[in-house]
Amino acid sequence: MVRERDDIVALDSSIILHPAVWDASGHASGFSDPLVDCRFCKRRYRADQLDEAQCGQKPSKHPGETEQCDLTEPRQFNLMFSTRIGPLEETGQDAYLRPETAQGIFVNFKNVAQIARRKPPFGIAQIGKAFRNEITPGNFIFRTLEFEQMEMEYFVPPPAAEEWFRYWVDQRVAWHRRYGIRESHLRVREHEPEELSHYSSATSDIEYLFPIGWSELEGIAHRGDYDLTAHTNASGTKLEWVDGDERYTPEVVEPALGVNRSMLAFMVDAYDEEVVADRERTVLRLHPALAPVKVAVLPLIPRNEEMVGKARALYEELRRVLVAEYDDSGQIGRRYRRQDEIGTPYALTVDEQTLEDDTVTIRDRDSLAQERIGIAGARALVLDRLVADWTTPKTG
Amino acid sequence: MVRERDDIVALDSSIILHPAVWDASGHASGFSDPLVDCRFCKRRYRADQLDEAQCGQKPSKHPGETEQCDLTEPRQFNLMFSTRIGPLEETGQDAYLRPETAQGIFVNFKNVAQIARRKPPFGIAQIGKAFRNEITPGNFIFRTLEFEQMEMEYFVPPPAAEEWFRYWVDQRVAWHRRYGIRESHLRVREHEPEELSHYSSATSDIEYLFPIGWSELEGIAHRGDYDLTAHTNASGTKLEWVDGDERYTPEVVEPALGVNRSMLAFMVDAYDEEVVADRERTVLRLHPALAPVKVAVLPLIPRNEEMVGKARALYEELRRVLVAEYDDSGQIGRRYRRQDEIGTPYALTVDEQTLEDDTVTIRDRDSLAQERIGIAGARALVLDRLVADWTTPKTG
């Protein structure tokens, strides 16, 4: 999103923000869940998720379904974590941990546009922690108090907003496909009018078919000029685009992605078990750009000092530019399997022939093909292959 | 610290932690600043920094120096930001934002040692946000509520702790030197016994000579077995090293560095103005590993479409593996200066000759030397030079 494009710049804004930002954005009043309490069993439930909850007395029933259930009317509870700046309760100032990274982008819109010398259409992207005081955390990594988010706000001239919204839905689906999610596991779901957030005139979710069912990975929202106008009104600073006689408030298209969920989706989709030469192997067919280790270096006979010396030297050279791993423990077959399981795309093996002619074998994780290459050109070759792999979409 | 060494692994632990962690670590009771209030002018001061503060009534005096000053006795105020988990005040649970990343490492010691299959001596490192409710924030980037920290906890057999402490002080000085800090701007200051934190038996600070004077970049602390013992006692889970008959609580050496301060030090130290061919130039002589942009691609004549085409193609190839910038606005001299000012180590220029023989010039930021190289091998050559630069300490 940032490195491969000319029209998007990166930002790292702060986590703790002044309440005025959240008043302006609508989060102070609107970012809440409805809760009900049961006066009988003293349990608390999300009013909109009673169908998924178990009654505290009779787990086979939903709350409200037994005679004893005595539920209160729903009340709204804000999902932002609050804290106080300043050492004393009485003189401190309220502040909130960001529940999304987007508002840090909107309040910095003018600074970034000026400093990075950009004009619409252009985007500001950031990745970082966000925090939500979830009433019912859990469900594995799907609802956590603290999570990693990637968001990009794309500022466009208002007449082009609709077209850019469709562009970004397509682009983001292509992004998930490029990094390996197979087509049958991916779908786009348009929000119904009654589902839309207060700031959005259109939103599409990208959903993935997890083993537990379809779940959201990313939302692409048409936010219009809601945010820039809201912060302009609250701050008195005009967050608009001015160039000579041209003057307007840009509209915004926002792809917002949960990193933890997406990483899980990539792992689930890449996981494979197969039988090769009568033996089972587990392999994580991760796109090379996502693989945590890019290349492994293995001396065939770990007690052979010359082999180990050559392997270590090659490893030292590789790890200056790539995340590499060196492994000399156990049989070579088991070492290959270990790398297959964590998705390492390439393994270089130093063997007897290396000591004669300074060549090594390079083994491909997916095809299992092995070929001999010169040690001297190994780094350049591995880099070239990785770059070629990155460029070619891996689609299943 | 992580990629170039075999004995250190990386971690990303959570920001919000349970109060029991901070009770065990001593932060709940001990991580505080002493404050005094002036009953007359209602201002608040750090009791240990009255010499640096201005009296609210007479700014030429320090608090307590005028007749009207009426200071309270010092009171201790904890520097941790607190929040509450759960939607309601009455049923919520206190939690704290981490004021350092280290405790997230200690409570994960056993998990990491097992999963990463490490035995002492080994280290766990992490980089991330930390938060401190500073009474007097400000002083540029030196005292901020939210900051980026790098910490590494190195676990060693107790008899070797003293030696490892000295090893890490030397290593960390060498690290700052390697990335460009000149020797005369760096010093090591050993803490006096009365300065030591509650957990430390020895601490050395690495200080840098900023334009405003000497200030701390990093502290290397001998923490002994304080932390692992404290969390063992509080949790009942033995955080110790066990291997057959061998069983002990490792001692810990911790280098802890403020990323924002260090980045400022690297920038200040790299900043240079010089006269070249009767013209002034500003150049940021950043170590290539720290330079935000590694290589620039410039078409000599931006209205020449063929030149632009070749330059764009080269740029697209480079930026798949390196942070690269493409610039076609303004005279070539000004474009070079722009890259000099942000510290870009290399600039590749596409000119008339490129159209004839597919060579480009490569310009070195520091020496200003230019030479012709083939476009086909440009990426490999730039990578090779960067790696060579990374390996060679840049010392002034």
Side-chain angles (χ1 to χ4, degrees):
Chain A
M1 294 284 274
V2 174
R3 282 210 195 168
E4 290 187 8
R5 296 183 66 113
D6 295 326
D7 57 348
I8 301 180
V9 296
L11 177 71
D12 182 24
S13 71
S14 67
I15 286 173
I16 295 182
L17 279 169
H18 194 281
V21 172
W22 306 112
D23 283 336
S25 70
H27 283 80
S29 58
F31 194 66
S32 52
D33 278 344
L35 288 197
V36 298
D37 290 287
C38 177
R39 294 187 189 92
F40 181 75
C41 73
K42 308 297 180 198
R43 289 215 178 185
R44 178 164 295 139
Y45 309 98
R46 266 184 64 168
D48 56 341
Q49 293 178 353
L50 290 177
D51 289 354
E52 300 166 32
Q54 296 180 329
C55 168
Q57 293 296 306
K58 289 199 176 175
S60 62
K61 302 270 188 181
H62 299 304
E65 290 184 350
T66 77
E67 279 188 20
Q68 293 170 318
C69 292
D70 183 11
L71 302 183
T72 63
E73 287 297 301
R75 291 182 287 174
Q76 293 295 324
F77 289 96
N78 200 288
L79 290 174
M80 290 194 293
F81 281 107
S82 68
T83 187
R84 284 181 80 77
I85 295 174
L88 292 177
E89 269 304 309
E90 63 267 29
T91 59
Q93 182 183 44
D94 282 327
Y96 294 93
L97 306 191
R98 63 182 183 200
E100 59 171 41
T101 66
Q103 300 304 320
I105 293 177
F106 293 126
V107 299
N108 281 300
F109 164 74
K110 208 167 175 169
N111 295 334
V112 175
Q114 282 172 359
I115 290 166
R117 299 184 299 161
R118 305 289 158 148
K119 59 177 291 187
F122 81 99
I124 305 174
Q126 87 173 313
I127 179 170
K129 287 277 173 75
F131 301 83
R132 294 183 186 177
N133 203 351
E134 297 282 356
I135 288 115
T136 48
N139 201 6
F140 195 37
I141 60 156
F142 287 90
R143 211 148 47 221
T144 55
L145 304 181
E146 182 178 334
F147 61 102
E148 195 85 12
Q149 212 183 20
M150 300 203 289
E151 291 189 300
M152 193 275 287
E153 310 302 319
Y154 200 75
F155 301 92
V156 302
E162 193 56 38
E163 193 180 327
W164 279 111
F165 173 66
R166 289 193 304 271
Y167 168 87
W168 277 112
V169 172
D170 292 344
Q171 280 288 308
R172 296 305 304 156
V173 169
W175 184 88
H176 288 276
R177 296 273 295 133
R178 169 179 171 183
Y179 291 109
I181 303 289
R182 62 199 83 180
E183 196 164 14
S184 57
H185 290 176
L186 213 56
R187 75 179 183 194
V188 175
R189 193 181 68 78
E190 282 180 42
H191 282 213
E192 301 294 330
E194 61 271 18
E195 273 185 283
L196 292 170
S197 303
H198 60 281
Y199 51 74
S200 179
S201 64
T203 296
S204 286
D205 285 349
I206 298 177
E207 298 185 334
Y208 177 74
L209 184 56
F210 286 96
I212 55 166
W214 289 98
S215 190
E216 181 193 345
L217 293 180
E218 171 167 357
I220 297 104
H222 184 332
R223 300 180 75 120
D225 64 2
Y226 177 87
D227 304 276
L228 292 182
T229 299
H231 289 295
T232 294
N233 291 342
S235 66
T237 297
K238 284 190 177 165
L239 298 176
E240 52 183 19
W241 170 252
V242 184
D243 187 8
D245 285 346
E246 205 184 10
R247 170 189 292 265
Y248 61 86
T249 302
E251 298 205 357
V252 172
V253 177
E254 173 201 83
L257 177 147
V259 179
N260 314 55
R261 288 184 187 190
S262 278
M263 195 60 224
L264 181 62
F266 287 123
M267 288 176 73
V268 165
D269 226 84
Y271 184 87
D272 197 13
E273 291 172 359
E274 64 176 11
V275 175
V276 178
D278 287 339
R279 298 180 73 170
E280 268 203 11
R281 107 173 157 137
T282 300
V283 54
L284 205 57
R285 300 191 191 279
L286 282 176
H287 188 285
L290 301 180
V293 177
K294 308 300 185 198
V295 59
V297 181
L298 319 169
L300 181 66
I301 304 170
R303 60 171 193 281
N304 181 319
E305 279 182 31
E306 205 183 342
M307 248 180 235
V308 166
K310 295 243 178 206
R312 288 290 314 185
L314 178 57
Y315 169 60
E316 295 295 337
E317 193 197 337
L318 286 166
R319 74 165 162 183
R320 296 201 185 283
V321 289
L322 290 168
V323 180
E325 215 167 74
Y326 174 85
D327 188 0
D328 62 5
S329 102
Q331 288 186 327
I332 192 73
R334 280 178 53 190
R335 281 183 272 161
Y336 284 142
R337 292 292 187 272
R338 220 179 269 153
Q339 297 300 328
D340 290 341
E341 284 174 15
I342 63 169
T344 308
Y346 298 106
L348 304 178
T349 304
V350 171
D351 55 18
E352 286 92 346
Q353 197 178 325
T354 312
L355 308 184
E356 288 163 26
D357 63 5
D358 272 337
T359 61
V360 294
T361 61
I362 180 168
R363 172 183 178 274
D364 184 286
R365 176 198 69 196
D366 296 325
S367 71
L368 294 173
Q370 297 200 23
E371 56 185 301
R372 292 205 79 85
I373 59 170
I375 272 195
R379 192 183 73 203
L381 184 135
V382 170
L383 266 175
D384 279 343
R385 293 212 177 164
L386 285 169
V387 171
D389 292 341
W390 282 337
T391 318
T392 315
K394 170 188 178 303
T395 48
Chain B
M1 295 282 274
V2 174
R3 283 209 196 169
E4 292 187 7
R5 296 183 65 112
D6 296 325
D7 58 346
I8 302 180
V9 295
L11 177 70
D12 183 23
S13 71
S14 67
I15 286 172
I16 296 182
L17 279 170
H18 194 280
V21 173
W22 307 111
D23 283 335
S25 70
H27 283 79
S29 57
F31 195 65
S32 53
D33 279 344
L35 289 197
V36 298
D37 289 288
C38 176
R39 296 186 188 92
F40 182 74
C41 73
K42 310 295 181 198
R43 290 213 177 187
R44 178 164 296 138
Y45 309 98
R46 266 182 65 167
D48 56 341
Q49 293 177 354
L50 291 177
D51 289 355
E52 300 165 32
Q54 294 182 331
C55 168
Q57 294 297 305
K58 289 198 176 177
S60 62
K61 301 272 191 182
H62 298 305
E65 291 185 350
T66 78
E67 281 188 16
Q68 294 170 315
C69 293
D70 183 10
L71 302 183
T72 63
E73 287 297 301
R75 290 182 286 174
Q76 294 295 325
F77 289 96
N78 199 289
L79 291 174
M80 290 195 292
F81 281 106
S82 68
T83 188
R84 283 181 81 78
I85 294 174
L88 293 177
E89 270 304 311
E90 63 268 29
T91 57
Q93 181 183 46
D94 282 327
Y96 294 93
L97 305 192
R98 63 182 181 200
E100 59 170 44
T101 66
Q103 298 304 321
I105 294 177
F106 293 126
V107 297
N108 281 299
F109 164 74
K110 208 166 174 169
N111 294 335
V112 176
Q114 281 172 358
I115 290 165
R117 298 184 299 162
R118 306 288 159 150
K119 59 177 289 187
F122 81 98
I124 306 174
Q126 90 171 309
I127 179 170
K129 287 279 174 71
F131 301 83
R132 294 183 186 179
N133 203 350
E134 296 282 356
I135 288 115
T136 49
N139 201 8
F140 194 38
I141 59 155
F142 287 90
R143 211 147 47 219
T144 54
L145 304 182
E146 181 177 335
F147 62 102
E148 195 84 13
Q149 210 182 22
M150 298 202 290
E151 291 188 301
M152 193 275 288
E153 311 303 319
Y154 200 76
F155 302 91
V156 303
E162 193 58 38
E163 193 181 325
W164 279 111
F165 174 67
R166 290 194 304 273
Y167 168 87
W168 277 111
V169 172
D170 292 345
Q171 281 287 310
R172 296 303 305 156
V173 170
W175 184 88
H176 288 276
R177 296 272 296 131
R178 168 180 172 183
Y179 291 108
I181 303 290
R182 60 200 84 180
E183 194 163 15
S184 58
H185 289 177
L186 213 56
R187 75 179 183 195
V188 175
R189 194 181 68 79
E190 282 180 40
H191 281 212
E192 302 293 332
E194 62 272 18
E195 273 184 283
L196 291 171
S197 303
H198 59 282
Y199 51 74
S200 180
S201 64
T203 296
S204 286
D205 284 348
I206 298 178
E207 299 185 333
Y208 177 72
L209 184 56
F210 286 97
I212 56 166
W214 289 98
S215 191
E216 182 193 345
L217 293 181
E218 173 167 356
I220 297 104
H222 184 331
R223 300 180 75 122
D225 64 1
Y226 177 86
D227 304 277
L228 292 183
T229 300
H231 290 295
T232 294
N233 292 341
S235 66
T237 297
K238 283 189 178 166
L239 299 175
E240 54 183 18
W241 170 250
V242 184
D243 187 9
D245 285 346
E246 205 184 10
R247 171 189 292 265
Y248 60 86
T249 302
E251 299 207 355
V252 172
V253 177
E254 171 201 82
L257 178 145
V259 179
N260 315 53
R261 289 184 185 189
S262 277
M263 194 61 224
L264 180 63
F266 286 124
M267 289 177 73
V268 165
D269 226 84
Y271 184 87
D272 197 11
E273 291 172 358
E274 64 176 10
V275 175
V276 179
D278 287 340
R279 299 179 73 170
E280 267 202 11
R281 108 172 155 135
T282 300
V283 55
L284 205 57
R285 299 189 191 281
L286 282 176
H287 188 284
L290 301 180
V293 178
K294 309 299 186 199
V295 59
V297 181
L298 318 169
L300 181 64
I301 304 170
R303 61 172 191 282
N304 181 318
E305 279 182 30
E306 205 184 341
M307 247 179 236
V308 165
K310 295 241 177 207
R312 288 289 317 186
L314 179 57
Y315 169 59
E316 294 295 338
E317 192 196 338
L318 285 165
R319 73 166 161 183
R320 297 203 184 278
V321 288
L322 290 167
V323 180
E325 215 169 73
Y326 174 85
D327 189 359
D328 62 6
S329 103
Q331 289 186 326
I332 191 74
R334 279 178 52 190
R335 281 183 273 161
Y336 283 142
R337 292 291 188 272
R338 221 178 269 152
Q339 296 301 329
D340 290 342
E341 284 174 15
I342 63 169
T344 308
Y346 298 106
L348 303 179
T349 303
V350 171
D351 56 18
E352 286 91 346
Q353 198 178 324
T354 312
L355 308 184
E356 288 163 25
D357 64 5
D358 272 339
T359 61
V360 294
T361 61
I362 180 167
R363 173 183 179 273
D364 184 285
R365 175 196 71 197
D366 295 325
S367 70
L368 294 173
Q370 297 200 23
E371 57 184 300
R372 292 205 79 85
I373 60 169
I375 272 194
R379 191 184 73 202
L381 185 135
V382 169
L383 265 177
D384 279 343
R385 293 211 177 165
L386 286 169
V387 171
D389 292 343
W390 282 338
T391 319
T392 316
K394 171 187 178 299
T395 47

